[in-house]
């Protein structure tokens, strides 16, 4: 099993920034494709960002962002620390949601996964609230 724990959520004013972190334990994190999803009240869980297990080898192809956050978010990982992060800037009220960290293990080198059913492990979620 892979256990994922998100942290860094909270309340932020519109235009502000927030950094979410996800700590992983178990499994082989360095070979896991990772993703961030979010779910707002009354809405389905939606894709936010994804990263391969070897992003440095793929350049810009190693990450993918939803159109709604592209240019405002950066996903990164530290395989030595078994963590993945999502830095969000210029936050908008519509970014308010519970953010989930997800892992797919095993994964294929260079592959990005954008659908919820492509991930087998999920964190408990972190609430992000953006006030206007």
């Amino acid at each position: 099993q892979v256990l994922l724990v998100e942290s860094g959520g909270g309340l932020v004013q519109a235009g502000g920034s927030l950094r979410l972190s996800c700590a992983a334990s178990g499994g082989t994190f360095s070979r896991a494709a990772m993703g961030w999803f979010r779910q707002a009240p009354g809405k389905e869980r939606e894709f936010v960002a994804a990263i391969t297990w070897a992003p440095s080898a793929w350049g810009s192809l190693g990450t993918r962002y939803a159109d709604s956050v592209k240019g405002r978010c950066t996903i990164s990982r530290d395989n030595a620390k078994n963590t993945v992060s999502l830095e969000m800037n210029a936050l908008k009220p519509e970014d308010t949601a519970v953010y989930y960290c997800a892992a797919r293990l095993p994964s294929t080198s260079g592959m990005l996964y954008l659908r919820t059913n492509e991930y087998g492990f999920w964190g408990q979620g972190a609430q992000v609230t953006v006030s206007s």
Side-chain angles (χ1 to χ4, degrees):
Q1 289 185 304
V2 176
L3 299 179
L4 304 173
V5 181
E6 300 96 336
S7 63
L11 176 65
V12 62
Q13 295 185 26
S17 300
L18 203 64
R19 184 180 179 87
L20 299 176
S21 295
C22 175
S25 61
T28 306
F29 178 79
S30 62
R31 292 299 185 97
M34 304 295 296
W36 284 97
F37 293 77
R38 66 186 183 186
Q39 187 168 20
K43 297 184 178 180
E44 296 182 347
R45 190 169 300 183
E46 66 176 2
F47 167 76
V48 176
I51 189 168
T52 72
W53 61 262
S56 61
W58 296 95
S60 61
L61 297 179
T63 58
R64 186 78 62 83
Y65 300 92
D67 289 341
S68 60
V69 303
K70 191 173 184 178
R72 300 188 297 117
C73 292
T74 301
I75 185 172
S76 61
R77 67 190 297 162
D78 187 336
N79 289 343
K81 298 181 179 179
N82 287 0
T83 60
V84 61
S85 299
L86 180 70
E87 184 173 357
M88 300 180 288
N89 303 305
L91 286 165
K92 306 174 182 179
E94 49 263 45
D95 293 319
T96 296
V98 176
Y99 284 71
Y100 296 91
C101 174
R104 177 186 172 94
L105 187 68
S107 66
T108 300
S109 177
M111 288 294 294
L112 293 165
Y113 304 92
L114 313 181
R115 300 179 179 181
T116 58
N117 61 8
E118 293 179 308
Y119 290 85
F121 305 96
W122 296 84
Q124 83 287 353
Q127 177 69 49
V128 173
T129 302
V130 183
S131 62
S132 59

